[in-house]
Amino acid sequence: SQADPAVASVFGPSLTRIAHKDRLEPLNEALRSGACRPKDAVALLVLLAPESVGAVCGFLEQAGSDRSSRVYADALTRIGEPAASSVLRRFPRASGDARRMYARVLGGLESEGVVSTLLDALSEPDPAIRREIVKAVATHRDPRGGAARLRLALEDPDPENRIIALRGLESASTKVEEKTMLQRVQSHEYQFLSSEEKDLLFRVLSTVGKESAVAELQTILRHSWIPGRTRRDDWPRAAAALARLATPAAIEVLEAASKDRNAELAVVCTSA
């Protein structure tokens, strides 16, 4: 019906009736009971697109299981552009699992207004929904998305969300002021972060860093970064970051540290 206007004029009304929520309710029940395979349900709903969009959104908002929610979210994502206006309209009003799944769908849509809608929702209090929003923002190549990921990477109260945002910054090579990342590495809160988050902070720093980052990384390689406190656990991270920067100054710092009188530091820098 989408390929041939003449065919659409004949079969369009029938498709609309077939794709109505009441007609598709048996499919919804079969999916809930496990009598219908998820991939078959998705294939049928996509076949009926765009007429099925309204029904799919309704089922998604009333889904009683994560399994059903994923099926309807997958169908909307595969339907693509014809589903965009409905998802963009329903997402701000949705709540709970439906809101989380709508965010997932928006991550796979390229329509105008998607990024703005996601960014408007970043104040979402539910960390699980905010996590899906973070992932969705990361899929779009939009300068505003990069700024949002940076803010989430440094400020989100949920550790998993910060890690997801940092991964997005690393993979997208987003332009980030290295001083912002350095402030996080130098902050009091840094010591309470997980090893994975610390690793990512240094990886992003080495991805976006410039010559000015070398001096700070060199400082971390000193025996006593703060009087009475060593950054021994961060030596491999700082050395690896210098190696990734690979500027003449960075290589010079590594070569000097590889000859340090502290054998442990020398081995770390030589390995890097």
Side-chain angles (χ1 to χ4, degrees):
S1 65
Q2 297 176 42
D4 189 332
V7 174
S9 66
V10 176
F11 292 101
S14 297
L15 282 172
T16 300
R17 288 195 296 273
I18 294 171
H20 190 274
K21 186 177 179 181
D22 293 342
R23 294 290 184 94
L24 288 174
E25 184 58 41
L27 173 66
N28 187 39
E29 290 298 329
L31 187 61
R32 287 178 178 175
S33 66
C36 176
R37 295 186 303 177
K39 67 176 184 179
D40 293 334
V42 171
L44 176 59
L45 294 171
V46 172
L47 183 65
L48 293 173
E51 289 82 359
S52 66
V53 169
V56 175
C57 288
F59 292 147
L60 174 60
E61 292 169 10
Q62 298 172 10
S65 68
D66 191 59
R67 176 176 177 271
S68 296
S69 294
R70 289 197 304 271
V71 167
Y72 297 129
D74 188 19
L76 289 169
T77 303
R78 288 179 56 186
I79 290 170
E81 185 63 28
S85 60
S86 293
V87 176
L88 285 168
R89 185 177 66 255
R90 289 171 177 259
F91 171 65
R93 302 196 301 265
S95 60
D97 285 341
R99 184 167 171 82
R100 179 169 61 87
M101 286 299 173
Y102 275 143
R104 181 175 298 185
V105 174
L106 289 172
L109 300 179
E110 298 294 337
S111 301
E112 183 178 354
V114 167
V115 174
S116 296
T117 299
L118 289 168
L119 294 179
D120 288 343
L122 280 175
S123 58
E124 164 65 48
D126 187 329
I129 298 175
R130 198 166 62 251
R131 187 171 307 132
E132 210 63 59
I133 294 172
V134 174
K135 293 178 182 177
V137 169
T139 65
H140 294 277
R141 295 182 179 182
D142 188 297
R144 295 170 298 168
R149 286 198 295 275
L150 175 61
R151 177 164 62 86
L152 290 163
L154 302 180
E155 300 176 7
D156 197 287
D158 185 87
E160 187 173 345
N161 288 350
R162 293 197 302 270
I163 287 172
I164 291 170
L166 283 168
R167 287 174 181 161
L169 288 172
E170 181 190 10
S171 61
S173 298
T174 306
K175 184 178 180 180
V176 180
E177 289 289 338
E178 70 270 17
K179 66 179 181 181
T180 306
M181 305 305 298
L182 284 168
Q183 287 171 354
R184 181 64 165 169
V185 171
Q186 295 165 347
S187 69
H188 174 73
E189 293 77 16
Y190 174 83
Q191 61 183 311
F192 303 109
L193 305 181
S194 68
S195 294
E196 182 179 7
E197 188 170 350
K198 290 177 180 178
D199 290 343
L200 282 166
L201 281 167
F202 275 90
R203 290 190 66 85
V204 173
L205 178 60
S206 65
T207 300
V208 304
K210 302 174 184 176
E211 203 69 25
S212 55
V214 173
E216 298 298 337
L217 292 169
Q218 182 181 24
T219 299
I220 293 173
L221 291 176
R222 293 174 183 166
H223 301 169
S224 184
W225 180 64
I226 295 176
R229 177 183 168 196
T230 182
R231 292 287 297 264
R232 181 176 284 104
D233 290 344
D234 285 329
W235 285 350
R237 298 184 180 103
L242 286 166
R244 284 190 293 269
L245 284 172
T247 64
I251 299 302
E252 183 179 344
V253 168
L254 278 177
E255 289 178 344
S258 66
K259 301 172 185 176
D260 195 273
R261 65 180 183 277
N262 184 297
E264 181 184 353
L265 177 58
V267 168
V268 165
C269 293
T270 299
S271 299

